[in-house]
Amino acid sequence: MKIRTSLRITSTISILMMLGSTVGTFFAFKWLRQASAFELQLIDLQGDVFERTLLRDEYLLMARPQSLVRWKQKSLEIAGHLKDLSGRSLSPSSALLLDRMNQKFQATWALLPRIAALRSSNEGGESGKGSTWRIEQRLTNQLLVDTYLLSDSTKLLLLEARRDSIDERNNLLLLLALSTLALGLTVTSASTHLNHLLSRRVAVLKTWTYSISNGKLDYRIPLGGDDELADLAREVNDLAEKLQRTYESLEATNRELEAFSYSVSHDLRAPLRHLTGFVELLWRMDLSSLDVKSQHYLTVISDSAKKMGCLIDDLLSFSRMGRGEMMKRNVNMGQLVHEVIAEHAKDLPSGRFIDWRIGTLPTVVGDQAMLRLVLTNLVSNAVKYSRQVAAPIIEISASTDETHHVLCVRDNGAGFDMRFVDKLFVLFQRLHSSEEYEGTGVGLANVRRIITRHGGRTWAEGEPNIGATFYFTLPQGPEG
Amino acid sequence: MGMDLKKILLVEDSPNDAELTLEALKTARLANEVIWLKDGQEALDFLFCRDAYAGREKVNPVLILLDIKMPRVDGLQVLKQIKEDARLRSIPVVILTSSREEVDLLEGYNHGVNAFVVKPVNFNEFLHSVSALGTFWALLNEAPPITI
């Protein structure tokens, strides 16, 4: 299932539950209010019944007509209450109680007026006094019993109503607690689901992608399912597949190139060696019979063969520079520069003085042998192209930008025309004739190749007869 | 064991290279006879006394100079068979090649080559190298017992 879909389902369920609990709470609250209103009404009723009882006693004891009138009024109020209550839907036991109240009320309804009538008819004479008194006593007793029963039923109904209202309140509380619990469970299960997605599946995705990006191109992320993460895993797998194919074809090309350079190394060198060898053997013979021109031809053959040997060797070293393994470690460029300069100083003709100006150079991460070659090439170029200057100055310094060390080698020698700057770093391209300055045009191509493999950049600035500056950059901090 | 028995074996397919090598050995003024074999197959035939060399003297050479790239059987295969054979194993083998390839170097040493020399293009250097080789292995170095 898509993550988006499951998130949608989760939020829909949460919203529905909230709606449900709101509606439930609304009704529970409504019922609670109804139960409370019923209870209040019963309390009122109970009060009226009590008052009516007092009025009855007042009339029976003191026979005040006012009390009878008020008793009748109260009775009407109670009748109204009872009518109200009978419209209500009630539990069977409550309905039974209400029924009894109605009966007892109806029973008492006519009793007091009858007692009053008896009493007033007795006022006139004594005849039959005893029998009337007995009837009155019986009616009074009847009234007392029925009123007691009415009051008792009212009390019982009130108790029932109170219990109902307490039940409703408990129901409301229970409903609130349950809906809170259900919401909590939904949120918890949704977050567990998300956590599973994020922590486990994303971790799988991350670990395998890391392996692939670190060169394990034959790895495929084992993430099934049909969610967005599985889609992503499939994309990464496709990418790895493409990379692997490209890598394999590159490797095949590299193998071909290696075979080519092997063959160049062996096959081209042999005839050259024969050329120089046999010309050399010829020189060891008595050549006095040869004229000067013939001897010159021999010299040209010999020199050209040697030159070609150098070209082939340089070409092979250039090719090796591109494919050899790099052994990266910390390289102190300052120390390396001093070693390279010491080597060059050894070869300087006596009387020639170079003003070396060496700045503070950084320690970088790289292949020491390759970086030494870079410095050797740049320094020997600087020495070579400033040899016709009376006071040669060679300056080696470093600075940094955000990500790289920038090193530069500057001389005040022959320099070059900036129009041809593009040719400088290209294999076998030269800006000076080999009669002027010897060389095969491999040095700077090697410099560029080595620096590029280290993740840096090379460029140059120059002006004829003023000097040249060669720059190269190397990444700061551990690399690769 | 007379001096005349100390033979040097030169295994080299190119006649030009062979001639230059023989010339270079000559400058070392060694008395040893040099036998030139034109490829790896011929070298194996000689060493194992087979075919054309079935009836040769049963004496091992004092040094084998071995080219790598040769038709039929190449130098590294010859080296491997020499170093795997109990009777031939002790003969010093020097690979003399124009290849600077690391694979060849590694394989040579893995198969137990005694020295690995890259033929310099410059003839004077070549001369010097080869005569130094000859002097060292045929004169200075104490050769192993040479009877088969």
Side-chain angles (χ1 to χ4, degrees), chain A residues 41-225:
Chain A
Q41 206 173 2
L42 284 176
I43 290 172
D44 260 7
L45 179 60
Q46 195 184 30
D48 287 347
V49 169
F50 181 65
E51 251 180 89
R52 184 168 169 264
T53 311
L54 287 179
L55 288 168
R56 176 204 68 186
D57 293 346
E58 207 174 65
Y59 179 74
L60 287 179
L61 291 175
M62 292 180 262
R64 280 209 313 240
Q66 186 61 29
S67 300
L68 182 63
V69 174
R70 282 185 57 203
W71 183 90
K72 280 181 181 164
Q73 281 173 356
K74 223 15 121 184
S75 295
L76 280 174
E77 277 176 37
I78 290 173
H81 274 309
L82 286 173
K83 204 180 162 204
D84 274 0
L85 291 177
S86 64
R88 219 175 249 283
S89 62
L90 293 171
S91 67
S93 59
S94 299
L96 211 65
L97 281 170
L98 188 64
D99 228 31
R100 219 171 83 192
M101 281 169 69
N102 264 318
Q103 280 174 20
K104 296 306 162 195
F105 175 70
Q106 293 302 332
T108 55
W109 179 253
L111 279 175
L112 197 62
R114 272 180 71 190
I115 294 171
L118 275 178
R119 279 189 178 181
S120 61
S121 65
N122 269 355
E123 304 267 301
E126 287 298 304
S127 62
K129 192 177 176 185
S131 69
T132 313
W133 185 81
R134 267 196 304 277
I135 294 172
E136 193 192 320
Q137 277 303 306
R138 200 169 50 80
L139 288 176
T140 305
N141 283 340
Q142 179 78 40
L143 179 61
L144 286 178
V145 171
D146 284 347
T147 309
Y148 169 76
L149 286 176
L150 172 65
S151 153
D152 184 56
S153 300
T154 312
K155 197 177 81 190
L156 286 176
L157 190 60
L158 178 61
L159 279 178
E160 192 129 317
R162 192 159 283 165
R163 206 166 44 237
D164 278 354
S165 107
I166 287 173
D167 280 353
E168 291 296 346
R169 197 193 62 198
N170 287 347
N171 282 346
L172 176 64
L173 286 177
L174 188 67
L175 181 73
L176 281 175
L178 280 178
S179 52
T180 310
L181 185 70
L183 257 181
L185 279 177
T186 313
V187 170
T188 311
S189 69
S191 72
T192 310
H193 177 62
L194 266 181
N195 191 33
H196 164 82
L197 270 181
L198 294 177
S199 64
R200 207 180 65 76
R201 289 171 69 78
V202 172
V204 168
L205 195 61
K206 188 183 147 196
T207 313
W208 286 79
T209 310
Y210 183 78
S211 297
I212 292 172
S213 72
N214 275 296
K216 306 263 189 244
L217 292 182
D218 52 334
Y219 280 22
R220 296 291 174 269
I221 305 172
L223 200 64

Side-chain angles (χ1 to χ4, degrees), chain A residues 258 261-263 265-267 269-270 272-274 276-278 280-281 284 305-306 309 313 320 323, chain B residues 14 16-17 19-20 23 27 67-69 97-102 104 119-124 126-127:
Chain A
E258 258 173 62
S261 62
Y262 180 88
S263 143
S265 149
H266 191 278
D267 296 352
R269 226 198 295 256
L272 275 176
R273 201 173 45 248
H274 303 158
T276 53
F278 285 104
E280 199 59 45
L281 287 178
R284 284 164 190 239
K306 278 177 198 158
D313 282 351
R320 251 200 304 279
R323 61 198 163 88
Chain B
S14 149
N16 287 337
D17 266 326
E19 195 180 338
L20 289 173
E23 202 64 44
T27 62
D67 188 19
I68 290 186
K69 206 180 169 196
T97 175
S98 39
S99 162
R100 273 178 209 279
E101 287 301 305
E102 253 173 56
D104 288 343
K119 296 173 192 170
V121 171
N122 182 301
F123 182 67
N124 284 323
F126 179 77
L127 206 69

